[in-house]
Amino acid sequence: MAPEPQDPQDDGQDADTRIYRAIFDGVLNHRLTPGTKLPEPELCNLFGVGRAVVRRVLEKLAHDGIVALRPNKGAVIAEPTPEETSQIFEARRAMERVLVELAVARVTEEDLRDLRRQLADEHDAMHRFDQPSWARLASGFHLRIAALARNAVLQRYLTELVSRCSLIVGLYEPPGHAPCEHDEHAAIVACIEARDAAGAVALMEAHLCELEQRIETSRMQGEKSLAQMLGLAQPQA
């Protein structure tokens, strides 16, 4: 008997990437907060895949520090400890120091125009009080500067660190705070535009230290469905 045809999204790299990106982006944009449960049956239904695919993706996310796999209890979004928080911020400061120096050395006029558009989008989101967009843009600012360094390996490492910092902000930062300050971003761009590597590095270091100092050991978590937190469903009115 011939095997039954498989849905192309039931297995393989496309399904893996789709699920990984949905969870990763949910963390980056603060929709998925630390401790959020990721039930395998629900993920299978949401993405139309089998358990083997979901388990493979959850294992990859666990390897990257985004998910914690608990024996006999399933997967949850990771909850970094204070010690891990300190180590992650220390690593991120070191990584961004190198990336900013490379960005200043390699930035083009087109890159600078893109950075100014990024700042304009941040300003617009901030004045619309659009917290989800502001969180996304704030993380995106750091990844955009990393891209200017034109080193794919360093950029990939920073992407993981930024996502893990987003977890920490979701866990520890008090509600109502922006994950980054727009004026600090603008000052960093001004230094990059002036080809002032030392100034840009110093401002980035201070910027990340300020973010770490705002971290508190309390968290509030809203009542939302997993589909909503993954961005796959609209919130109910």
Side-chain angles (χ1 to χ4, degrees):
M1 180 182 293
E4 293 182 2
Q6 289 185 320
D7 185 322
Q9 291 185 339
D10 280 351
D11 201 355
Q13 188 63 33
D14 288 345
D16 287 24
T17 301
R18 206 158 43 92
I19 301 167
Y20 186 101
R21 290 306 313 179
I23 295 173
F24 187 94
D25 290 345
V27 168
L28 204 63
N29 297 323
H30 307 291
R31 292 193 303 267
L32 287 171
T33 54
T36 300
K37 294 180 181 179
L38 299 171
E40 286 184 12
E42 192 170 352
L43 289 171
C44 291
N45 290 333
L46 287 171
F47 292 98
V49 298
R51 285 206 173 195
V53 178
V54 168
R55 286 174 181 169
R56 187 164 62 236
V57 174
L58 291 176
E59 287 171 1
K60 175 68 166 62
L61 287 161
H63 178 269
D64 293 344
I66 309 304
V67 162
L69 300 178
R70 305 173 304 177
N72 303 318
K73 292 185 178 179
V76 298
I77 299 299
E79 299 188 72
T81 66
E83 182 181 7
E84 289 172 328
T85 295
S86 177
Q87 292 175 355
I88 289 167
F89 271 96
E90 183 178 55
R92 181 171 172 181
R93 286 194 300 273
M95 185 68 64
E96 294 216 43
R97 188 180 307 121
V98 175
L99 286 164
V100 167
E101 288 176 346
L102 290 173
V104 171
R106 298 171 180 176
V107 70
T108 67
E109 289 302 319
E110 182 178 357
D111 294 332
L112 289 170
R113 285 193 291 272
D114 288 341
L115 281 174
R116 293 188 202 103
R117 280 194 291 270
Q118 169 86 22
L119 292 176
D121 290 342
E122 285 183 9
H123 185 272
D124 182 55
M126 183 174 61
H127 284 82
R128 291 199 319 268
F129 301 101
D130 185 348
Q131 183 68 15
S133 294
W134 173 228
R136 174 178 53 81
L137 288 163
S139 297
F141 173 81
H142 293 266
L143 298 178
R144 185 179 292 275
I145 288 180
L148 303 186
R150 292 172 172 81
N151 185 308
V153 176
L154 292 175
Q155 185 178 353
R156 184 168 66 250
Y157 289 148
L158 182 68
T159 300
E160 179 184 335
L161 287 170
V162 167
S163 71
R164 297 185 74 175
C165 283
S166 293
L167 277 174
I168 292 164
V169 169
L171 179 61
Y172 291 129
E173 191 176 50
H177 284 261
C180 285
E181 295 297 334
H182 174 75
D183 290 346
E184 294 172 7
H185 284 184
I188 292 167
V189 171
C191 281
I192 293 174
E193 190 168 10
R195 307 313 198 266
D196 177 5
V201 167
L203 287 171
M204 183 65 81
E205 182 94 5
H207 177 56
L208 294 173
C209 285
E210 171 86 12
L211 176 58
E212 184 177 8
Q213 288 167 5
R214 289 205 309 267
I215 298 301
E216 292 182 357
T217 56
S218 62
R219 171 171 60 91
M220 296 179 66
Q221 185 167 337
E223 296 293 331
K224 291 185 179 180
S225 71
L226 180 59
Q228 289 171 358
M229 289 186 286
L230 286 168
L232 300 176
Q234 294 297 321
Q236 295 181 352

